[in-house]
Amino acid sequence: MLKFLTIESTCDETAAAVISEDLQVLGEVVASQETLHRRFRGVVPEVAARQHVQTILPVIDLALRKSKCTPDELAAVAVANTPGLAGSLLIGLCAAKSLAWAWNLPLIAINHLHAHVYACRVAAGVEVFPCVGFIVSGGHSNFYRCDDPLTFQYLGGTIDDAAGEAFDKVAAMLGLDFPGGPAISRAAVHGDPQAYQYPRPFTHRDDPLKFSFSGLKTAVRYSLYGQGRPVVDPTQLSPQQVADVAASFQQAAVDCLVSKCRQAIEQTGLQTLCVGGGVAANRLFRAQLQQAMQEVGATLWIAPPELCTDNAVMGAIAIEKYRAGRFESLDLDIYPGLER
Ligand code: KG4
Ligand code: ZN
């Protein structure tokens, strides 16, 4: 059975996994930098890169030890080289290239967004392609037509902020923790989702397959602090106000996401939707999407929450590239920019 080492360092998680050809996870490690970035309420690129330098080799070493696999048993080394933060991507790529060279193994490039969709394939344990792939994370809200695991055609997505970015910024306005998604969900439990009427752009039937979350962020800010006032002071908010805004915002964001998923299925005629990325861990989204997909008669795969946020297991998509003979030379570079 062939075994693969996969490496992930695109943003603020340092992760490595050893995965067998039949998609069994033999060993896996995710070192999160969440606590490091919390006080900045967002990922600081330079801080992230420096932390990856510290953790990348121990993380790879631990993943190998957990899997009880030695380098001579590996078939290839794979690494996410696009998209992401430049400094973060470079650390993973340098580690992967060095190991591929030292161990005389082929090098495989992973597209981080495609890998988020592939997390569904790993978790499902059965074929999920062809499908609509939907990545809803801190940096992206993208739809793809995925005819097979290596053919991703961009269908549409956000014209400004990603959904996760909106969760993180609204959480900051409410004085909640980073990352904002889980904090908003927790606060929303005691709130009224109807308390505030926030906008839901592009949700009419004939609208294009697009999202816009920046106006939603602004609407939340105005509802809390009024228009034109520069001061954002969460200490003046009551716990009930925080809960109501969190619930109303979450409902508006989820309504946009679910409406577009339904549209993507109807528009493509595909029967399966695969969803990945951090925001896909949101419970309200999962429940409402499940119901919407039942209504349109589509099969829904959402990765389990631990495979929604960044990890190296989803890098198993490299095994598909291995089978297709798609290898890289050691001058492989990073591509930080928005990859469609
Ligand atoms: O996929 P991910 O780990 O990293 C990126 O590639 O961006 O996603 C992180 C994003 C953050 O914006 C975080 O607030 C959001 O996913 N997130 C959630 C939840 N858990 C994480 N958003 C909504 N609800 C959640 N439960
Ligand atoms: Zn991600």
Side-chain angles (χ1 to χ4, degrees):
M1 185 75 68
L2 298 176
K3 295 172 187 173
F4 298 80
L5 172 65
T6 56
I7 298 171
E8 154 67 38
S9 71
T10 58
C11 187
D12 63 335
E13 265 92 26
T14 324
V18 179
I19 304 161
S20 63
E21 202 181 352
D22 60 352
L23 299 183
Q24 298 306 307
V25 181
L26 306 176
E28 187 211 353
V29 180
V30 180
S32 170
Q33 301 181 5
E34 228 169 76
T35 49
L36 204 59
H37 299 286
R38 184 157 285 148
R39 71 188 168 109
F40 305 109
R41 293 191 186 279
V43 178
V44 182
E46 183 63 24
V47 173
R50 285 169 188 266
Q51 186 61 23
H52 284 307
V53 174
Q54 303 280 327
T55 45
I56 190 96
L57 290 179
V59 161
I60 292 171
D61 187 46
L62 186 56
L64 282 166
R65 279 192 282 131
K66 278 185 166 181
S67 71
K68 300 193 168 48
C69 177
T70 53
D72 57 301
E73 293 173 73
L74 291 172
V77 178
V79 62
N81 72 326
T82 187
L85 301 172
S88 294
L89 288 165
L90 274 173
I91 309 306
L93 181 62
C94 287
K97 281 185 187 180
S98 308
L99 294 176
W101 178 78
W103 295 338
N104 197 23
L105 290 170
L107 179 67
I108 300 176
I110 297 167
N111 177 312
H112 177 77
L113 300 182
H114 300 180
H116 267 304
V117 172
Y118 202 78
C120 294
R121 168 67 185 90
V122 178
V126 294
E127 194 50 81
V128 298
F129 296 91
C131 65
V132 170
F134 181 40
I135 296 106
V136 62
S137 69
H140 301 89
S141 308
N142 294 7
F143 285 105
Y144 293 91
R145 181 187 178 94
C146 313
D147 286 311
D148 59 62
L150 297 179
T151 311
F152 281 63
Q153 182 199 344
Y154 180 76
L155 296 174
T158 183
I159 58 167
D160 41 56
D161 299 325
E165 150 82 14
F167 273 89
D168 293 337
K169 292 300 182 299
V170 168
M173 288 181 223
L174 292 172
L176 300 172
D177 242 353
F178 173 82
I184 296 255
S185 290
R186 280 193 299 273
V189 171
H190 307 290
D192 173 7
Q194 310 288 340
Y196 294 84
Q197 285 308 308
Y198 292 132
R200 288 150 170 81
F202 296 124
T203 47
H204 293 296
R205 213 179 163 76
D206 298 330
D207 284 338
L209 199 56
K210 287 181 178 171
F211 298 106
S212 168
F213 290 108
S214 72
L216 178 54
K217 279 191 327 191
T218 307
V220 171
R221 188 185 162 128
Y222 285 175
S223 71
L224 287 169
Y225 302 107
Q227 285 194 34
R229 289 186 51 210
V231 183
V232 172
D233 178 12
T235 58
Q236 64 182 250
L237 306 174
S238 71
Q240 192 56 50
Q241 200 178 2
V242 170
D244 285 346
V245 171
S248 302
F249 160 77
Q250 178 175 247
Q251 188 62 63
V254 166
D255 284 350
C256 295
L257 297 173
V258 171
S259 142
K260 291 290 120 174
C261 286
R262 187 191 282 265
Q263 185 183 341
I265 286 293
E266 285 169 353
Q267 180 176 316
T268 56
L270 291 167
Q271 304 291 312
T272 305
L273 176 69
C274 286
V275 189
V279 182
N282 184 278
R283 280 213 201 144
L284 182 73
F285 174 57
R286 294 172 85 93
Q288 299 203 344
L289 187 58
Q290 185 72 55
Q291 195 183 332
M293 290 302 106
Q294 254 166 24
E295 281 164 21
V296 294
T299 305
L300 173 65
W301 297 105
I302 309 191
E306 67 278 11
L307 291 187
C308 284
T309 46
D310 288 348
N311 65 85
V313 169
M314 64 193 193
I317 194 170
I319 299 170
E320 306 279 354
K321 283 198 163 177
Y322 181 90
R323 291 204 187 100
R326 286 170 57 176
F327 302 111
E328 308 295 334
S329 64
L330 287 179
D331 59 8
L332 177 68
D333 207 346
I334 55 162
Y335 299 95
L338 186 67
E339 155 79 35
R340 291 186 165 169

